[in-house]
Amino acid sequence: MGKIIVVTTVIGIVLAILGERIIHLRKRVWASREIEQNHLPSCHLIKGIEYGSEDITILPSGLAFISSGLKYPQTPSFAPDSPGKIFILDLEDQKPRPTELRISRGFDVDSFNPHGISTYIDKEDDTVYLFVVNHPQFRSTVEIFRFVEEDFSLTHLKTVQHELLHNVNDIVALGPESFYATNDHYFTQHLLRSLETLFCLAWCNVVYYSPREVKEVASGFYMANGINISPDKKYVYVSDILDSAVHVMEMNQNYTLTPIKAIHVGTLIDNIEVDPETGDLWGGCHPNGWKLFNYNPEDLPGSEVIQIKNIHSEEPIVTQVYADNGSVIQGSSVATVYKGKLLIGTVFHKALYCDLEQSIKM
């Protein structure tokens, strides 16, 4: 009888703890939030992108790289059992259409599972390097390609693997072979990853990689996600999606990062893109993470885009630019601008093209 009481008590305590943790997690991911429509008048879905556009980055020439087809733990995916793709979109065209980039022989295309992306342009010869976070068999690698514009192809140069790069989400290139990367979990095993999220353990980090040195340069994030750099290369921005915050960090000469401040934005900000002209930050966000992680076709996850102005001032301005309840676009993960054009990408759904200048006129 005594053993039954002990077992029952232990089970009750465990259930109580789990219940409290679930309630706490639901608050963190804005599970009760219902997004109000805030559409722009001049937008359309991009034909040819059907299974996600998780990250987008744009070259100064207007060529936009788009990663598509991501399959990742704890997030939905409706992509067929086929490799992921990198598309390119020329925003200088009046009616841009995505083109799939061909990848050179010798690279394992069959296991290609692209996530975050970043570019680096060599100042001496204008070579464009494309860095892609890849998850072959749900592991983490970073693939470095050279972009060949003449025939819209990618030449594979290098695969980077390291024990510190164990759950890579996003990346920002610093040189032809160097970068910062975010790890969005501490554990790699699925059950432990789930418990890490449930208990909101702030064990995620940012890692600096170069052929000469690999090291942790920032830590203490609940779920480090998007990462990018200021136009003057002095500051790094990291989104902590479970904290609904953007962390501003100063770059040091040894590539360590010094925390400056955190800006809470009231939504689950995913990837970060930086306007090279103004320094404004653009974020693709999840207004209700519970709907994203527990996908229900009857209660779709929405999308939200925010713009952060004057991020280094005492009072940054956070503005909601676009919002949708999932009827148009689901699970937005990135937003980026080029000459008055706005691209919105998603984890697993479609991609949206908006003409901001036309919207202002209307």
Side-chain angles (χ1 to χ4, degrees):
M1 187 68 176
K3 291 182 179 180
I4 295 176
I5 294 175
V6 171
V7 171
T8 303
T9 302
V10 171
I11 292 174
I13 292 173
V14 171
L15 291 177
I17 293 173
L18 290 176
E20 186 276 333
R21 287 290 85 197
I22 290 172
I23 291 172
H24 179 74
L25 180 61
R26 283 178 56 87
K27 289 180 180 179
R28 276 195 176 272
V29 300
W30 305 93
S32 299
R33 186 184 180 199
E34 295 296 335
I35 193 75
E36 294 184 7
Q37 303 286 68
N38 179 19
H39 287 178
L40 295 168
S42 183
C43 295
H44 66 267
L45 294 172
I46 300 174
K47 293 182 179 179
I49 297 180
E50 304 294 333
Y51 302 112
S53 41
E54 202 281 335
D55 204 4
I56 303 173
T57 191
I58 305 174
L59 294 177
S61 63
L63 292 176
F65 294 99
I66 304 171
S67 66
S68 181
L70 174 67
K71 302 176 182 69
Y72 201 59
Q74 298 176 324
T75 56
S77 174
F78 302 108
D81 189 18
S82 59
K85 298 176 173 60
I86 301 293
F87 290 99
I88 198 162
L89 192 73
D90 190 349
L91 296 177
E92 288 290 348
D93 288 349
Q94 289 189 346
K95 295 182 179 180
R97 295 181 179 180
T99 300
E100 180 183 347
L101 292 179
R102 180 177 55 83
I103 299 178
S104 61
R105 293 181 180 179
F107 177 71
D108 183 9
V109 175
D110 291 338
S111 66
F112 193 41
N113 189 12
H115 200 164
I117 59 176
S118 181
T119 58
Y120 178 79
I121 302 175
D122 193 304
K123 295 179 181 179
E124 294 185 1
D125 59 11
D126 293 326
T127 297
V128 176
Y129 297 91
L130 178 67
F131 292 64
V132 182
V133 176
N134 186 24
H135 300 292
Q137 292 82 45
F138 297 108
R139 295 178 290 106
S140 286
T141 66
V142 174
E143 311 296 344
I144 303 177
F145 300 93
R146 182 175 65 250
F147 172 55
V148 183
E149 186 172 352
E150 290 74 20
D151 61 356
F152 276 5
S153 67
L154 295 172
T155 300
H156 185 250
L157 302 176
K158 183 177 183 178
T159 295
V160 175
Q161 284 183 284
H162 194 276
E163 60 183 6
L164 291 182
L165 300 169
H166 52 272
N167 281 304
V168 183
N169 185 300
D170 198 17
I171 189 172
V172 59
L174 303 174
E177 293 184 278
S178 60
F179 55 83
Y180 287 125
T182 57
N183 283 308
D184 60 19
H185 284 81
Y186 178 84
F187 295 107
T188 56
Q189 201 273 336
H190 182 70
L191 176 60
L192 293 177
R193 284 167 58 100
S194 298
L195 290 174
E196 179 184 345
T197 301
L198 179 62
F199 284 87
C200 296
L201 303 178
W203 292 357
C204 298
N205 63 0
V206 177
V207 172
Y208 167 75
Y209 174 89
S210 77
R212 296 168 299 281
E213 183 180 27
V214 186
K215 60 184 178 181
E216 178 184 88
V217 292
S219 60
F221 304 99
Y222 294 100
M223 190 178 285
N225 200 299
I227 187 168
N228 220 312
I229 195 168
S230 61
D232 61 10
K233 313 301 182 186
K234 293 181 178 180
Y235 299 94
V236 169
Y237 311 114
V238 180
S239 66
D240 189 339
I241 195 168
L242 274 188
D243 200 27
S244 299
V246 174
H247 293 258
V248 180
M249 318 194 84
E250 186 175 12
M251 285 183 61
N252 301 312
Q253 288 188 346
N254 64 353
Y255 294 101
T256 58
L257 300 175
T258 301
I260 303 298
K261 62 180 176 179
I263 301 164
H264 291 271
V265 296
T267 185
L268 303 182
I269 182 166
D270 199 318
N271 289 311
I272 299 170
E273 291 297 312
V274 181
D275 186 329
E277 301 296 327
T278 64
D280 294 350
L281 272 62
W282 289 79
C285 307
H286 307 288
N288 185 324
W290 197 259
K291 292 184 179 182
L292 176 70
F293 299 136
N294 301 275
Y295 188 83
N296 179 358
E298 302 299 322
D299 191 16
L300 297 171
S303 294
E304 187 172 20
V305 171
I306 62 171
Q307 178 185 17
I308 306 176
K309 295 182 178 181
N310 306 324
I311 191 165
H312 296 285
S313 69
E314 293 185 3
E315 296 183 2
I317 301 171
V318 181
T319 304
Q320 183 194 76
V321 177
Y322 179 90
D324 178 67
N325 62 10
S327 59
V328 175
I329 191 167
Q330 304 170 28
S332 57
S333 55
V334 64
T336 185
V337 293
Y338 176 81
K339 292 185 178 180
K341 308 296 190 298
L342 169 66
L343 294 182
I344 305 172
T346 66
V347 178
F348 61 91
H349 196 227
K350 302 176 184 293
L352 197 67
Y353 173 99
C354 300
D355 189 330
L356 294 175
E357 294 180 348
Q358 188 67 27
S359 299
I360 292 174
K361 293 177 183 178
M362 296 176 68

